Amino acid sequence: RKEVEQDPGPFNVPEGATVAFNCTYSNSASQSFFWYRQDCRKEPKLLMSVYSSGNEDGRFTAQLNRASQYISLLIRDSKLSDSATYLCAVNRDSGNTPLVFGKGTRLSVIA
Amino acid sequence: EPEVTQTPSHQVTQMGQEVILRCVPISNHLYFYWYRQILGQKVEFLVSFYNNEISEKSEIFDDQFSVERPDGSNFTLKIRSTKLEDSAMYFCASVAEGTYGYTFGSGTRLTVV
């Protein structure tokens, strides 16, 4: 099983749609979970951290399921500007270990 | 908003040449990283640096690679003898003590010809 796996997409959705991304990770000892956004040929930008209790930031909601080793990102009311690749990142082990990134899921929001 | 700064933004080099990629992390951050991303591939960890020494490195970070923090602000990645397969985007990242969300620089696109 790969360390961090994501559905590669692409997801093509109309403006206003709700879209969900999933990510699984292999090491149950991982403690830190993030979603990053990456625009074409740009650096990853931190979108949000993911906590066990789930967290929301405007139209974005992230959830963590430790039992299933699964994290998710939900985008509501998607905008054209949400078009990007969404990367899941998980620290490789407990403590301050490097982040391991998934390959990303590409989202295209169309008018 | 504080930024991680990387230079140059694009470097073209001949195979076998040495390159040095430069990064200025955010000033109060203590952990520094180099990642690379080959076109169309995922972001891959190369090396982490803390307290003026390498704390961890990946299999990719072989003897051709080295890192330095020569003057307390710059953080450099050196590739001694570049190969075609070193062509990639190289991202520097830093993070503050007690947090884990990295801030990435805008990257250096390295093209080895």
Side-chain angles (χ1 to χ4, degrees):
Chain A
R1 185 176 174 183
K2 289 182 187 168
E3 285 184 287
V4 179
E5 280 198 82
Q6 294 183 250
D7 182 338
F11 287 19
N12 299 315
V13 303
E15 271 186 291
T18 295
V19 60
F21 304 125
N22 302 319
C23 171
T24 56
Y25 60 95
S26 60
N27 190 347
S28 59
S30 296
Q31 295 175 335
S32 302
F33 310 92
F34 304 94
W35 283 101
Y36 279 80
R37 170 197 169 122
Q38 187 175 31
D39 293 288
C40 191
R41 301 197 172 222
K42 300 284 189 184
E43 75 274 23
K45 290 194 173 170
L46 182 63
L47 186 62
M48 53 200 305
S49 305
V50 189
Y51 305 115
S52 297
S53 52
N55 47 305
E56 189 173 310
D57 183 2
R59 297 182 293 111
F60 299 84
T61 301
Q63 296 276 352
L64 165 64
N65 183 324
R66 282 192 187 272
S68 302
Q69 293 176 212
Y70 165 101
I71 69 175
S72 64
L73 175 69
L74 188 77
I75 306 176
R76 286 180 299 279
D77 188 23
S78 49
K79 313 281 184 205
L80 295 175
S81 55
D82 294 332
S83 297
T85 297
Y86 290 83
L87 310 179
C88 169
V90 176
N91 72 331
R92 201 192 51 239
D93 207 324
S94 57
N96 199 354
T97 49
L99 289 183
V100 178
F101 285 81
K103 204 170 171 190
T105 301
R106 204 163 79 195
L107 171 67
S108 291
V109 181
I110 47 185
Chain B
E1 190 177 321
E3 286 185 343
V4 175
T5 306
Q6 286 187 246
T7 54
S9 56
H10 191 185
Q11 173 130 17
V12 181
T13 189
Q14 288 205 321
M15 196 167 55
Q17 295 296 302
E18 175 183 284
V19 294
I20 297 177
L21 310 184
R22 291 185 166 78
C23 170
V24 179
I26 294 172
S27 60
N28 63 341
H29 285 188
L30 298 178
Y31 296 86
F32 313 121
Y33 304 85
W34 284 101
Y35 280 76
R36 80 170 185 191
Q37 187 175 32
I38 294 168
L39 189 64
Q41 303 297 313
K42 64 179 184 176
V43 178
E44 299 176 289
F45 168 70
L46 292 178
V47 65
S48 56
F49 195 84
Y50 173 70
N51 206 21
N52 285 321
E53 58 183 27
I54 290 174
S55 47
E56 198 164 338
K57 57 185 180 180
S58 72
E59 294 170 352
I60 303 167
F61 194 89
D62 61 22
D63 292 344
Q64 293 300 311
F65 291 87
S66 61
V67 288
E68 266 193 332
R69 195 155 185 244
D71 57 12
S73 61
N74 289 288
F75 177 50
T76 63
L77 174 69
K78 184 193 291 186
I79 310 174
R80 248 179 286 284
S81 176
T82 48
K83 307 185 196 64
L84 295 176
E85 55 265 35
D86 293 327
S87 296
M89 280 291 284
Y90 287 81
F91 294 110
C92 174
S94 68
V95 65
E97 182 94 54
T99 67
Y100 297 107
Y102 300 174
T103 301
F104 283 88
S106 56
T108 294
R109 178 171 303 283
L110 176 65
T111 304
V112 183
V113 297

